[in-house]
Amino acid sequence: MKKLLAAAALALMIQPALAEDAAPKWSLAIHGGAGTLDPAQMTPDKRVAYESALQAALDAGAKVLKDGGEAIDAVKAAIVILEDSPLFNAGKGAVFTWDGTNELDAAIMDGRDRSAGAVAGVKTVKNPILLADTVRTQSEHVFLIGKGAEEFALSKGFPVTPPEYFATEARREALERLKAEKLSALDVDHKFGTVGAVALDQKGNLAAGTSTGGMTGKRWGRVGDAPVIGAGTYADNRSCAVSATGWGEYFIRVGVAHEICARLRGIREFNTLTADSSGVAVLEPEEAEYTADSVMADVAALGGDGGVILVTPEGHAIFSFNTTGMYRGRATSAGVNEVAIFGGEVGAGAKGTPNH
């Protein structure tokens, strides 16, 4: 009888743990740009504004995932919040080109079938991430640019957003200072203004999205890595989902987003082949961190900087950046919910990678 009671007690102790392990798993990470951020310039009011905006985006995406929604919808929900905020260089707060206009780029990718959509150089669409997803779902194409992308938007019912909606005084002053002092975009942009989100939903599907206004004073139709599938945005259920932010030319040369996913897929396949009889091996968070850091080191070796966010099929939400800071946040079904700005803050180690 004592043995039966002991066994019953043990079963009661184990049951909640098993239920917790079997609970639906989801994960989300977001960013609002990485760059040379100066803590001395971050006033308490400014910090509160950025953290509140990041938390709002995180909450919007997390709600979709908590409610059993799809990763692709969580990505859109988070990015729309950031596009609508004048604090970030995407949508409402986009930087000015040399000619004094706002040209917007965005991309999105679904890890289930690797379907993707992207737009570049659009000036009349309030939320470019939604247009990019419409390219993905309602056209036979992946990448549309400029007037053609805007004509496509009209054909799909997107209202025309007037140019004054995107203009902010802070961005206009940055352009004027760049021209007056003959500076580079790097001199007036303390951060690389790109926003992005990556997600894992309860069905195990991954998605990634990125949106940006580019670099202050850009000319000749310059396009960075954000809308380039494989450079600034990539998602594959077999490996991970990645969104990047940084000096786009270098991210394109390295193929950062795809490079991280390809390396992680190789590691996972190796782990599976070498797994013992207990079953299929999974990717450890340290392996994902090391891979992201290694690819970012490659970017740095070429002379570029910036950062990435990624989520793996196991639900690891990872940050890696080689700058002083990156506006970022993550939330998971395990109870993680945090936003941060500088390296070394909650959710990030000394080099920008997260502590687990």
Side-chain angles (χ1 to χ4, degrees):
M1 179 63 70
K2 288 182 178 179
K3 289 183 179 180
L4 288 174
L5 290 173
L10 181 61
L12 289 173
M13 292 173 62
I14 293 174
Q15 191 172 5
L18 292 177
E20 183 178 348
D21 290 342
K25 179 172 57 182
W26 57 266
S27 187
L28 173 71
I30 64 171
H31 71 76
T36 306
L37 307 179
D38 184 359
Q41 299 296 319
M42 184 60 66
T43 65
D45 287 346
K46 187 180 294 186
R47 176 181 278 274
V48 167
Y50 274 105
E51 289 180 344
S52 296
L54 290 169
Q55 190 65 59
L58 199 62
D59 291 344
K63 184 179 188 307
V64 173
L65 299 173
K66 287 178 186 175
D67 292 345
E70 297 184 347
I72 199 82
D73 292 327
V75 163
K76 288 186 289 184
I79 291 177
V80 163
I81 297 292
L82 298 173
E83 285 180 332
D84 289 347
S85 170
L87 296 175
F88 304 98
N89 176 15
K92 173 68 173 175
V95 299
F96 283 92
T97 67
W98 184 265
D99 296 324
T101 60
N102 306 104
E103 295 182 357
L104 314 173
D105 310 330
I108 196 166
M109 189 167 184
D110 191 329
R112 289 175 291 192
D113 56 2
R114 283 173 282 169
S115 59
V119 295
V122 298
K123 302 177 182 178
T124 62
V125 179
K126 179 182 178 183
N127 295 113
I129 194 65
L130 300 183
L131 179 57
D133 195 53
T134 304
V135 172
R136 180 184 72 87
T137 59
Q138 298 184 39
S139 82
E140 64 272 36
H141 307 300
V142 169
F143 204 160
L144 301 181
I145 65 171
K147 290 292 185 183
E150 292 171 356
E151 290 172 6
F152 174 78
L154 280 174
S155 74
K156 297 302 178 181
F158 282 78
V160 174
T161 302
E164 55 266 24
Y165 167 80
F166 303 102
T168 61
E169 193 58 33
R171 302 301 191 190
R172 193 182 301 279
E173 289 175 359
L175 175 65
E176 292 172 353
R177 189 156 65 88
L178 178 145
K179 287 184 173 183
E181 301 178 26
K182 297 182 179 180
L183 303 172
S184 73
L186 301 181
D187 293 319
V188 297
D189 290 336
H190 296 293
K191 69 182 180 69
F192 296 101
T194 301
V195 305
V198 291
L200 168 74
D201 63 31
Q202 294 184 28
K203 295 179 181 178
N205 295 315
L206 295 166
T210 316
S211 181
T212 186
M215 300 180 80
T216 299
K218 62 183 181 180
R219 305 174 77 176
W220 309 300
R222 180 266 184 188
V223 176
D225 65 301
V228 178
I229 302 301
T233 308
Y234 201 77
D236 184 342
N237 277 8
R238 300 171 299 175
S239 54
C240 68
V242 177
S243 175
T245 170
W247 197 339
E249 281 71 13
Y250 293 95
F251 281 69
I252 292 172
R253 288 164 61 184
V254 174
V256 166
H258 181 268
E259 181 72 8
I260 290 173
C261 286
R263 292 190 191 186
L264 289 181
R265 195 174 84 211
I267 293 172
R268 179 172 283 103
E269 290 172 353
F270 176 79
N271 288 351
T272 301
L273 289 173
T274 58
D276 58 29
S277 58
S278 64
V280 177
V282 297
L283 189 74
E284 297 297 330
E286 293 79 12
E287 293 174 308
E289 291 174 11
Y290 175 79
T291 299
D293 288 347
S294 295
V295 174
M296 286 307 302
D298 194 9
V299 172
L302 293 178
D305 55 2
V308 296
I309 56 173
L310 65 136
V311 166
T312 71
E314 293 80 12
H316 307 314
I318 306 296
F319 309 113
S320 179
F321 51 96
N322 57 16
T323 54
T324 59
M326 179 166 74
Y327 297 101
R328 62 199 185 277
R330 60 180 176 177
T332 73
S333 54
V336 174
N337 189 313
E338 59 192 21
V339 296
I341 298 175
F342 299 101
E345 293 183 346
V346 173
K351 294 184 179 179
T353 52
N355 295 321
H356 290 267

